[in-house]
Amino acid sequence: MASTGVPASASGRSAAIPGITNLPTPARLTVGIVSAGRVGTALGEALERAGHVVGAVVARSAHSRRRAATRLPDSAVLDLGDVVARAELLVIAVPDSELVEVVDRIADSGTLRPRTLVVHTAGAHGVGVLARLTALGALPLAIHPAMTFVGTDDDTARLAQACFGITAADEVGEAIASALVLEMGGEPVRIAEADRTLYHAALAHGANHLIALITDAVAALDAAIGGPDGSAQAATVDGDPVRLAERILGPLVTASLQNVFDLGRDALTGPVARGDAAAVAAHLDALRALPGGGAPDSLAEAYRMMARRAAHQSDAPHPVLDVLEPR
């Protein structure tokens, strides 16, 4: 295994970390999960597969309790203070907007033991958000899996192909965070405390806005397939219109996604890449003819802004840029 950057003692051996032996791999730890949502249960399963024990979880909703019973059946469902009291490794897997409140509740509970490893999974935060717990003697870690979770067993398997953005207060924390990620099969990537927001913005732009983009493309294609009479029945030889837009777009979008990862901006094809201003103008006219197509937040306006971004990236000629100016 590659070096983790753990400081060495004068004898050349790795410096001791309370609760951790056999560096760089953490010893078997008792894990507490707050809470048993999609992320928390997936990480809990992955940690158990690595030899740790999820002793207790917080699961407030009926859905979360069912999920915990199914995927972490040997874990007790307890109140927050009791979960914190039992944990050597406390994983706070709550939405970003709830993290500060949960940290305050943990600090106020009086049950956090010094030297507890406290991990949160929020992408936009580093370890500063855990300051109250650090002041109580916890070792703070930010470990964010860069993937989307759907709430099934597949989430746990996919963690093994995921990168994790890790942030810690020092090299010792980085070594522990890296070891935990490696145990789950993932790839740890160091993100500086000051860069967590930018890191999170990049992931949101690439993943969340892709959803909006494809949803728009499906809507426009559905309108085109439906034709003037609004029926897609006649568009295929076998008359099967079910998810036809998705079937058309799927191979194209999948290939484009792989191409951009392989080639970067050189993967761009289509009228912007060719400098075909007339085709781009015709696209905008067609999209603006859709219901609501003239609104500031319309599909046509989204196309114009994305096309203008692509034009700048590809050094498109001025006629293309002119067509893409706001109206």
Side-chain angles (χ1 to χ4, degrees):
M1 184 178 291
S3 172
T4 61
V6 176
S9 66
S11 66
R13 299 175 62 186
S14 296
I17 301 174
I20 304 295
T21 60
N22 230 3
L23 288 172
T25 303
R28 172 170 155 147
L29 298 169
T30 299
V31 181
I33 305 285
V34 185
S35 62
R38 296 176 181 181
V39 179
T41 49
L43 291 177
E45 281 188 323
L47 288 167
E48 286 205 325
R49 291 178 185 181
H52 303 292
V53 177
V54 178
V57 301
V58 174
R60 290 183 294 178
S61 71
H63 195 163
S64 292
R65 288 193 290 274
R66 286 194 297 271
R67 185 186 290 114
T70 301
R71 304 198 30 210
L72 298 169
D74 297 325
S75 304
V77 176
L78 301 174
D79 291 336
L80 178 65
D82 292 328
V83 171
V84 172
R86 291 186 176 202
E88 296 171 293
L89 168 61
L90 183 67
V91 178
I92 309 173
V94 299
D96 291 26
S97 60
E98 298 177 15
L99 181 57
V100 171
E101 177 189 352
V102 171
V103 168
D104 285 342
R105 289 174 56 208
I106 292 171
D108 293 340
S109 72
T111 59
L112 181 72
R113 294 180 293 172
R115 300 181 179 179
T116 300
L117 304 178
V118 178
V119 172
H120 78 72
T121 62
H125 293 283
V127 295
V129 72
L130 299 174
R132 286 197 66 192
L133 306 184
T134 305
L136 295 173
L139 194 156
L141 305 171
I143 299 179
H144 174 254
M147 60 171 273
T148 187
F149 293 80
V150 296
T152 68
D153 292 345
D154 292 340
D155 288 341
T156 306
R158 288 167 57 215
L159 285 173
Q161 288 90 45
C163 290
F164 289 66
I166 64 167
T167 304
D170 53 32
E171 290 184 352
V172 172
E174 280 189 357
I176 297 171
S178 297
L180 289 169
V181 171
L182 290 168
E183 283 189 326
M184 291 185 282
E187 179 179 352
V189 180
R190 297 183 186 92
I191 307 294
E193 179 83 13
D195 293 330
R196 290 290 293 205
T197 300
L198 179 59
Y199 158 80
H200 195 236
L203 297 183
H205 189 45
N208 304 147
H209 298 167
L210 178 64
I211 305 300
L213 173 65
I214 300 304
T215 300
D216 273 352
V218 167
L221 192 52
D222 276 336
I225 293 168
D229 63 356
S231 172
Q233 197 72 32
T236 61
V237 173
D238 63 2
D240 179 12
V242 177
R243 297 180 64 82
L244 182 54
E246 289 86 347
R247 283 157 37 206
I248 295 171
L249 278 170
L252 176 65
V253 171
T254 301
S256 294
L257 187 61
Q258 187 58 58
N259 288 344
V260 73
F261 285 134
D262 291 341
L263 304 173
R265 65 182 62 186
D266 291 338
L268 185 68
T269 62
V272 169
R274 295 193 301 270
D276 190 343
V280 174
H283 288 179
L284 287 170
D285 288 342
L287 293 169
R288 285 167 178 153
L290 292 173
D297 58 352
S298 67
L299 193 160
E301 182 63 10
Y303 178 101
R304 184 192 68 78
M305 294 177 68
M306 287 298 299
R308 188 167 179 81
R309 182 68 181 143
H312 280 292
Q313 288 181 344
S314 60
D315 297 322
H318 285 294
V320 172
L321 294 172
D322 291 343
V323 165
L324 294 170
E325 284 290 334
R327 293 201 325 188

